[in-house]
Amino acid sequence: MLKRCFWPLFALLWLISSGLDRLWLHLDQRLPAWDQADYLNSALDHGRALGLIQGGSWQGWQALLDLSPKIPPLASLVDGSMIAIAGDAPDQAAWALSLWFGLLLLAVALWGRQLGGVVLVSKAVAGPCG
């Protein structure tokens, strides 16, 4: 029974967390801190360099890699692609964060599942109700 509930509980936890994140982002209208803004700018630059976001075009691999002198480009490439799909408004662009949160949640859930079994992870997700 618990093995069948693992993935639905995982998906429900991710959806609830993402929904609460969207709500908080909607209510909090402050500008992002410098570090978060720098990562967002990097993602937008990479999305433009891929030609996915308006105002940019493909300039080749060298130009794309030159955009990442200090930040590994994979995260910015994934975020830029997600921004191209979801939109570049702050509320829309934050879906890239939900993608990374889902990946982190998946890694921790699978790690907990391997260490403690499905019962432990399902009870942790379900809490005292389960």
Side-chain angles (χ1 to χ4, degrees):
M1 161 81 179
L2 287 175
K3 283 189 178 189
R4 290 186 316 191
C5 292
F6 180 78
W7 291 111
L9 285 173
F10 172 80
L12 182 64
L13 181 63
W14 180 78
L15 286 171
I16 290 171
S17 299
S18 294
L20 290 173
D21 188 46
R22 297 287 81 83
L23 177 64
W24 173 80
L25 186 61
H26 177 73
L27 295 174
D28 182 23
Q29 296 296 313
R30 292 179 292 171
L31 293 174
W34 177 87
D35 194 40
Q36 290 89 354
D38 189 40
Y39 282 103
L40 180 59
N41 283 334
S42 177
L44 289 170
D45 290 342
H46 281 79
R48 287 187 191 107
L50 287 170
L52 299 174
I53 298 176
Q54 188 176 13
S57 64
W58 176 251
Q59 301 287 326
W61 288 107
Q62 188 61 43
L64 184 67
L65 294 175
D66 284 343
L67 292 173
S68 304
K70 63 179 180 162
I71 301 170
L74 180 62
S76 295
L77 290 170
V78 170
D79 290 345
S81 300
M82 188 67 191
I83 288 170
I85 294 167
D88 61 355
D91 288 351
Q92 298 165 333
W95 278 106
L97 297 175
S98 291
L99 180 73
W100 293 114
F101 173 66
L103 181 64
L104 175 65
L105 187 63
L106 177 67
V108 171
L110 292 177
W111 186 31
R113 187 175 170 179
Q114 187 169 4
L115 291 176
V118 176
V119 175
L120 174 69
V121 175
S122 297
K123 283 185 178 184
V125 170
C129 301

